Amino acid sequence: MPRRTVALLVAIALGPAAAVGCSSAAGPDRAGGSSSDAAASVPVPTASGPTASDPTASAASEVPTSSPATSAAPASSAPASSAPASSASAPSAPASVAVRGTVADGLKSPWGLAVLPGGDLLVSERDSARILRVSAKDGSRTVAGTVPGVTSGGEGGLLGLALSPDHATDHRVYAYLSTGSDNRIVRLDLDPSKPAGSQLGAPAVLFSGIPHGPRHNGGRIAFGPDGFLYAGTGDADNRSLAQDRDSLGGKILRLTRDGDPAPGNPFAGSPVWSLGHRNVQGLAWDPQGRLWASEFGQDTWDELNLITPGGNCGWPTVEGTAGRAGFTDPVAQWHTADASPSGIAFADGAVWVAALRGTRLWRVPVDGAGAVGTPQDFLRGEYGRLRTVAADGDGTLLLVTDNTDGRGSPRPGDDRILRLDVSGG
């Protein structure tokens, strides 16, 4: 039966957060503080310090910088206090990235990606609301179906996908989508034996009432190693929601497979796992079971956060590393022109971050204690905006471009899924 969650009934007791990882700045919103960041095809030099922003600036005026980003160690233009204390303790190793080949091309506004048992892929198209099945053998595509009730526009539409941990037997697919009034999570049955276009069952609404806006809708969902479903939400362009104890906006949620608040959440009866987020876009776990999340900044800093239960990542009070009591700091951060981080994946000892405006793939090395080394970037400008990265079972990474969403500069063959060989050296 559909569950509509308009407000949390249990007050979240906020106190000084003991978690590592998060913070995002107050001030006038910029035209490209989230996935609305445009990426020009040719980088041009820009100042390395914080950028002044005009909320009315056109997306075409936003171009990636050619200067190195600041992450574990902020640029000299940033306050010295903005360097996380643990960041220097994990030396980075030489790494390499090689594009093995193109899995599929000709996609339109691809967003979510899930690897099926056997290696085939499911891909969501944000604006068409279609879920495609891509063959692992030859890259051929089948339209599994179109998800009803999806409202596209702005940054909303059919967004993240996740497979049930028991997909091999229950054939269930979870999707995060936008409607005319909210963002919600639905569950669908997948039956590939049916004709193309009708392989998806009717969606069952598991969780609704997530704030919806033209921007900052979050959308990434993933099952954690604990078997629960995690969802990253945005503040729906209403920054006050991130700190609102009764709002689902600007949070990471932790749910059961049926959409209930998961047992063991930090706030009894609440789906909230962490709060104070601007727009969570990527979720991934390392071998130690730690949750990492990427987040769009506003004027100055994009973030990679290490999430722990009840952590308050600070938005809208702070952006980037602030060292303020009650808020937790990011473990890595970038100038917004260098990243606009979207999907993330953990592979080969590092968190890999797909960058939209930054048009590159970031590697953030992580040691067993969770400390990060110096980030390295790859594929800078070679494939345009990068939306999603996922680890495949064969040890490779799958990388999804996003140049056809109205903010990029499409190239012949866009958008595409690439297969990458990566090595930490």
Side-chain angles (χ1 to χ4, degrees), residues 323-415:
R324 292 185 56 168
F327 303 128
T328 53
D329 286 331
V331 294
Q333 59 186 23
W334 295 266
H335 288 307
T336 52
D338 295 312
S340 289
S342 189
I344 65 174
F346 194 93
D348 201 41
V351 179
W352 299 83
V353 183
L356 288 165
R357 187 183 179 198
T359 66
R360 67 195 80 177
L361 180 68
W362 285 101
R363 176 184 182 268
V364 183
V366 178
D367 69 13
V372 302
T374 302
Q376 302 159 279
D377 65 339
F378 300 89
L379 308 178
R380 184 188 299 197
E382 293 183 33
Y383 295 95
R385 291 161 56 86
L386 306 179
R387 169 64 69 181
T388 296
V389 60
D392 203 351
D394 61 359
T396 62
L397 288 179
L398 296 164
L399 184 63
V400 181
T401 70
D402 192 6
N403 297 309
T404 58
D405 67 347
R407 301 181 177 96
S409 299
R411 311 171 188 198
D414 278 341
D415 273 303

Side-chain angles (χ1 to χ4, degrees), residues 160-175:
L161 296 178
L163 301 183
S164 161
D166 298 319
H167 181 84
T169 55
D170 67 20
H171 310 295
R172 287 177 167 176
V173 178
Y174 292 73

Side-chain angles (χ1 to χ4, degrees), residues 112-139:
L113 179 71
V115 182
L116 291 162
D120 285 359
L121 309 177
L122 290 183
V123 184
S124 64
E125 290 186 327
R126 187 192 68 185
D127 297 335
S128 72
R130 300 190 306 176
I131 295 180
L132 308 180
R133 183 179 185 124
V134 179
S135 169
K137 294 181 180 180
D138 58 13

Side-chain angles (χ1 to χ4, degrees), residues 22-24 71-72 74 78-85 301-305 313 318-324 328-333:
C22 315
S23 296
S24 301
S71 44
S81 61
S82 62
W301 297 116
D302 291 324
E303 302 174 0
L304 177 66
N305 294 309
C313 293
V318 293
E319 177 182 23
T321 301
R324 292 185 56 168
T328 53
D329 286 331
V331 294
Q333 59 186 23

Side-chain angles (χ1 to χ4, degrees), residues 1-4 122 124 129 131 145-151 157-164 167 171-179 182-190 200-210 219-223 229-231 253 255-260:
M1 183 176 186
R3 177 177 296 102
R4 187 168 189 82
L122 290 183
S124 64
I131 295 180
T146 301
V147 181
V150 175
T151 299
L158 181 60
L159 304 177
L161 296 178
L163 301 183
S164 161
H167 181 84
H171 310 295
R172 287 177 167 176
V173 178
Y174 292 73
Y176 186 112
L177 58 87
S178 305
T179 73
D182 68 354
N183 291 298
R184 56 183 57 183
I185 299 169
V186 302
R187 184 174 63 205
L188 311 101
D189 293 327
L190 175 67
L200 296 176
V205 179
L206 301 183
F207 196 87
S208 59
I210 300 170
R220 197 70 62 178
I221 56 175
F223 278 94
L229 181 65
Y230 291 73
L253 310 177
L255 307 167
T256 69
R257 300 184 197 188
D258 294 325
D260 295 312

